[in-house]
Amino acid sequence: SSGINAEWPLRPGFAKENTESCATQCAKTIYSICDADVSIQGTVGKATSYTDQVGMFYNYGCATAGNTNVKFDEVKADDSAILEGLGIGFYRFCCCRYP
């Protein structure tokens, strides 16, 4: 990322399609620059210190589709996998920004 742009300070995250790169997905929006393709999972509970691990993430990078497992695709995954916690627990997101 190139830092904060005063006109666009917040960076949107979009659900990641499992067969497409985030560079391609971001290019289809007004936030056409890809900063990351991440899968992320948070832990249950409240952190009690700044050294507590509160989640995990993996950055696939922007250039490739990365892991194409449909279970990582929030849009294509079954509702039960997401809403009832029957999936893998990690979903992928494209982190895009305005140029």
Side-chain angles (χ1 to χ4, degrees):
S1 171
S2 65
I4 298 296
N5 176 328
E7 291 182 44
W8 300 89
L10 299 177
R11 302 299 202 288
F14 298 98
K16 165 75 173 68
E17 185 172 354
N18 67 311
T19 57
E20 192 165 71
S21 74
C22 280
T24 300
Q25 276 190 245
C26 291
K28 294 177 181 179
T29 75
I30 63 168
Y31 307 99
S32 59
I33 304 299
C34 176
D35 279 336
D37 166 358
V38 296
S39 59
I40 187 166
Q41 180 182 52
T43 57
V44 176
K46 181 185 180 301
T48 58
S49 79
Y50 296 105
T51 57
D52 288 349
Q53 181 176 329
V54 295
M56 296 178 282
F57 77 95
Y58 185 84
N59 185 351
Y60 288 88
C62 293
T64 70
N67 184 337
T68 58
N69 184 334
V70 72
K71 291 182 179 179
F72 285 83
D73 186 322
E74 185 176 0
V75 174
K76 293 177 184 174
D78 292 335
D79 287 351
S80 63
I82 297 168
L83 302 175
E84 298 171 20
L86 302 177
I88 54 174
F90 282 85
Y91 296 98
R92 291 178 60 193
F93 303 93
C94 293
C95 303
C96 309
R97 66 179 161 88
Y98 191 71

